Amino acid sequence: MTRLTVAIRDTAARIDAATPAHRDRAVDALRAFAVLGVVLGHWLVTALAADGRSLRTASPLQHMPWLAPVSWACQTLAVFFLVGGHVATRSYASARERGTPYRRWLHARLARLFGPVVAVLTLWTAVTLALLLSDAEYGTVRTLVKLALSPMWFLLVFAALTAATPLVARMHPLWPLAVVLHVDVLRFGLGAPGGLGWLNLAAGWLVPYTLGAAWTRGELRGRRPGWVLLGGGTAATAALVGWAGYPAAMVGVPGAEVSNLNPPTLAAVTFGLAQCGLALLLRDRLRHAMRRPVAWAAVALVNLSAMTVFLWHQTALMATTAALLPAGPLPGLHTVPDGLGWVAARAVWLPVLVLALVVCGAAFRTWERGGGGRRRKRSRVVRAHLPMTERTPHV
């Protein structure tokens, strides 16, 4: 056994010992899965193709639509909102029991949610100004800024749902699902303006969020709810894609007439229901797996850096692409994603992207708990005297 292996096991054992026994580690495992799914999905379906001095976005799904199942595995936002609704409703109930006013509770959660955003906005403001002053092509600058800031929409929607937690904590998921259904009928069936679809940005993600609240209320015990959601969501999604003309890809595809994600469609929501069902079915297995110190330490590490990973993974991709641009068009990094060769080459680049993300994380980790200049507080993932409901808001 090498020294490195011993050090990893010792560290994992200390993290395991410092974790309170009552903590539901399955929740953290689901959160980690959702974060890594989003990152991997973006890295696999987003390409920056070099065209002279400019960079433009492209997607392998444009040229190889049969790769749509990749988006099924990596579009994990419904799990984000499921866990988010679960944790937020628990946190709010705990705050009420302690007599904490709603205003103070909300401020604490949103401060930790948006604190790391300051670093992203500051850096990209400086980068944008530098690129424009250096006479970089405007289209390239716009592409880079759009990719860098694209994760922000998630935070805005999540913040709005967090603020509405007292109102939606007891809402049945069928209500927002009905809104999504009617909006899509109006849009695609009756020719209503496409802008109406943006109502689904709130209603669509409110469905898994309210499922999370139902989880907190104890209404999703046992395996039956998970099987109902998984089976019903899968059947509904298959019908919508196969017979109603919805796109098979569960992410946005450049140039596509309809996106399942921007704004969310009924197909994206039913697909999310299937994901939530699978997540609920995996809870017991995840709790068992997280008893292993090394597995739990890895999940705890992802959770501790969840916001940094989420906010900086696109920057890591763009920094790697731009830094290596002088080396010429490199397959899988600067080339058009029009074949399996690109997919294989991109897989080779993934460790490099991980390294770039680690560098970003090391540079901006002090912002993870909402303050670049303040001393970072000790992790709440492993502080035994604090319950899970007082942990991170970014779920």
Side-chain angles (χ1 to χ4, degrees):
M1 187 179 297
T2 65
R3 291 184 178 179
L4 178 60
T5 302
V6 172
I8 291 175
R9 290 188 175 182
D10 287 346
T11 301
R14 287 196 297 271
I15 293 174
D16 182 67
T19 304
H22 62 268
R23 187 176 188 84
D24 189 349
R25 300 185 183 192
V27 173
D28 297 279
L30 289 172
R31 183 188 296 115
F33 166 77
V35 170
L36 297 180
V38 170
V39 172
L40 184 61
H42 281 161
W43 284 353
L44 290 178
V45 303
T46 303
L48 287 168
D51 184 12
R53 294 178 60 244
S54 65
L55 290 171
R56 59 184 177 86
T57 56
S59 171
L61 298 176
Q62 288 178 279
H63 306 278
M64 297 172 284
W66 48 270
L67 284 177
V70 173
S71 69
W72 304 346
C74 297
Q75 208 290 71
T76 53
L77 287 172
V79 180
F80 264 123
F81 286 94
L82 172 73
V83 176
H86 175 56
V87 175
T89 49
R90 286 188 60 179
S91 176
Y92 181 64
S94 177
R96 290 190 64 185
E97 290 175 1
R98 296 192 311 272
T100 302
Y102 164 78
R103 213 166 146 187
R104 187 186 304 171
W105 170 82
L106 181 63
H107 178 270
R109 295 187 73 79
L110 295 189
R112 294 198 300 268
L113 182 68
F114 285 107
V117 173
V118 176
V120 179
L121 293 178
T122 301
L123 175 68
W124 274 99
T125 298
V127 169
T128 301
L129 290 174
L131 289 174
L132 292 175
L133 291 174
S134 65
D135 199 29
E137 194 214 11
Y138 175 76
T140 296
V141 177
R142 183 176 181 274
T143 295
L144 296 178
V145 173
K146 184 178 179 180
L147 283 178
L149 302 185
S150 60
M152 302 299 177
W153 74 261
F154 160 82
L155 297 181
L156 293 174
V157 175
F158 188 84
L161 295 185
T162 300
T165 295
L167 298 177
V168 303
R170 304 198 67 81
M171 180 182 291
H172 197 286
L174 286 179
W175 288 107
L177 180 61
V179 172
V180 175
L181 171 63
H182 284 81
V183 167
D184 274 20
V185 168
L186 291 172
R187 277 202 301 161
F188 303 131
L190 301 178
L196 184 67
W198 290 105
L199 290 174
N200 286 350
L201 191 60
W205 300 119
L206 189 55
V207 174
Y209 194 88
T210 52
L211 274 174
W215 178 2
T216 302
R217 295 194 301 268
E219 298 174 6
L220 301 180
R221 292 193 186 99
R223 299 183 64 79
R224 182 179 177 182
W227 283 115
V228 170
L229 289 169
L230 177 59
T234 300
T237 305
L240 291 169
V241 171
W243 292 293
Y246 283 81
M250 291 299 153
V251 296
V253 179
E257 185 177 351
V258 176
S259 167
N260 271 323
L261 197 57
N262 299 308
T265 63
L266 181 60
V269 174
T270 57
F271 177 77
L273 290 175
Q275 280 190 321
C276 291
L278 181 60
L280 294 173
L281 290 171
L282 290 176
R283 285 177 294 182
D284 290 340
R285 291 190 179 184
L286 288 173
R287 290 183 187 114
H288 179 75
M290 291 303 104
R291 294 175 187 171
R292 300 172 183 173
V294 173
W296 168 240
V299 165
L301 178 62
V302 173
N303 276 271
L304 288 171
S305 304
M307 281 293 290
T308 299
V309 170
F310 182 79
L311 289 172
W312 291 98
H313 71 279
Q314 293 284 58
T315 298
L317 170 63
M318 289 182 284
T320 303
T321 303
L324 296 176
L325 194 56
L330 298 175
L333 200 61
H334 305 118
T335 54
V336 176
D338 56 1
L340 286 177
W342 183 93
V343 176
R346 174 51 65 96
V348 173
W349 284 109
L350 289 180
V352 179
L353 299 180
V354 171
L355 180 60
L357 182 55
V358 169
V359 172
C360 289
F364 298 99
R365 66 182 181 273
T366 55
W367 295 85
E368 178 72 14
R369 297 297 171 189
R374 297 194 300 266
R375 184 179 178 181
R376 188 176 181 181
K377 295 180 181 180
R378 186 180 174 187
S379 162
R380 295 187 177 185
V381 175
V382 295
R383 286 179 69 178
H385 62 281
L386 286 178
M388 182 190 69
T389 53
E390 289 303 296
R391 215 181 63 76
T392 58
H394 47 79
V395 292

